[in-house]
Amino acid sequence: AAAELEAKSKVYRKGETAETANYKLTVDTVDATPEFEAYTPSDSSQEYFFVSFELENTSDEALATRSFLSIVVDGEKASTRSTYEKYNGVDEFDEYSDLQAGRKTAAYISATIPVDWEEVQLVTSDGVTFAFDHNDLDACQERTVAMNPRFITLVTQCIAMD
C-alpha cells in the first residue's frame, strides 16, 4: 500500500518506471514536431507531441486501457489524441480492448498541443503522472516525425545518442 501511494504521489520523468500494484509504465522518449508525415496542424500555433511508452500489466486481471492515458498541457487536458503501435513482438495498445494479465505493450500516444507549451504531462486514469519540459525532447526534434519503418530507425538512432 505504501508503494502504491508513492507511485501516485511522485512525478516521474522520461526514462523512469512507475510501478503500481497493477502495472509498470515506462516513458522511453518524448518529441515535438510541427509536421507529422504529410500533415501539419491547421493552426500554426500548434504542433504534434509524441510520447513513446511501454506498459506491462503485472496484475492477475485484465487492465482496462480505455481512457487509461491522458495528455495534459500546462494544466489543460489535450483533446486531440491518437495512439500508434510501436513495434511488433508485444501486444498492441488498443483503447477498445483490455491489456490481459501478464502482458506487455509498447506504443506512442500523441496530441496536438500549443507550440508555446512549458510542461506536458502523461497522466494515467489512476493518477500516476509523468512530466516533461523542452529539455526532455529527444535529439530528433528538428526532424520530421513519420510513423513508418524509417521513423522506428530514426528513434533508435536518437536513443543511441542520449
Side-chain angles (χ1 to χ4, degrees), residues 1 7 12 23 26 49 53 56 69 77 83 94-95 99-100 128 130 145 153 155:
Y12 295 87
Y23 62 87
T26 304
F49 191 86
F53 67 91
E56 179 180 0
L69 296 171
K77 190 172 181 177
T83 56
D94 179 0
E95 290 195 294
L99 183 61
Q100 297 304 311
V128 171
F130 284 80
V145 175
T153 303
V155 169

Side-chain angles (χ1 to χ4, degrees), residues 5-154:
L5 183 59
E6 179 185 346
K8 293 176 183 173
S9 61
K10 177 180 176 179
V11 175
Y12 295 87
R13 306 297 301 181
K14 179 180 81 170
E16 294 181 329
T17 298
E19 189 168 351
T20 72
N22 297 317
Y23 62 87
K24 291 181 187 176
L25 176 63
T26 304
V27 170
D28 302 310
T29 61
V30 294
D31 208 350
T33 180
E35 187 176 317
F36 170 63
E37 291 185 335
Y39 303 103
T40 56
S42 58
D43 180 347
S44 63
S45 68
Q46 302 281 305
E47 66 183 348
Y48 297 106
F49 191 86
F50 291 88
V51 178
S52 168
F53 67 91
E54 293 189 16
L55 175 65
E56 179 180 0
N57 181 351
T58 57
S59 75
D60 56 4
E61 296 180 11
L63 179 66
T65 56
R66 185 165 185 80
S67 302
F68 181 69
L69 296 171
S70 299
I71 292 181
V72 176
V73 184
D74 297 327
E76 299 287 326
K77 190 172 181 177
S79 58
T80 306
R81 200 168 56 84
S82 302
T83 56
Y84 303 92
E85 185 174 351
K86 187 172 178 184
Y87 53 78
N88 294 329
V90 293
D91 293 347
E92 182 178 352
F93 183 81
D94 179 0
E95 290 195 294
Y96 301 103
S97 63
D98 297 339
L99 183 61
Q100 297 304 311
R103 303 298 296 178
K104 292 182 185 180
T105 186
Y108 298 96
I109 186 168
S110 72
T112 306
I113 67 170
V115 294
D116 61 352
W117 62 274
E118 292 184 22
E119 182 181 71
V120 176
Q121 295 179 333
L122 180 69
V123 183
T124 66
S125 56
D126 63 349
V128 171
T129 302
F130 284 80
F132 319 106
D133 60 30
H134 288 271
N135 294 324
D136 291 311
L137 295 177
D138 287 289
C140 35
Q141 65 182 334
E142 299 298 324
R143 303 184 197 170
T144 301
V145 175
M147 300 311 276
N148 61 38
R150 286 191 331 204
F151 174 71
I152 302 303
T153 303
L154 182 61

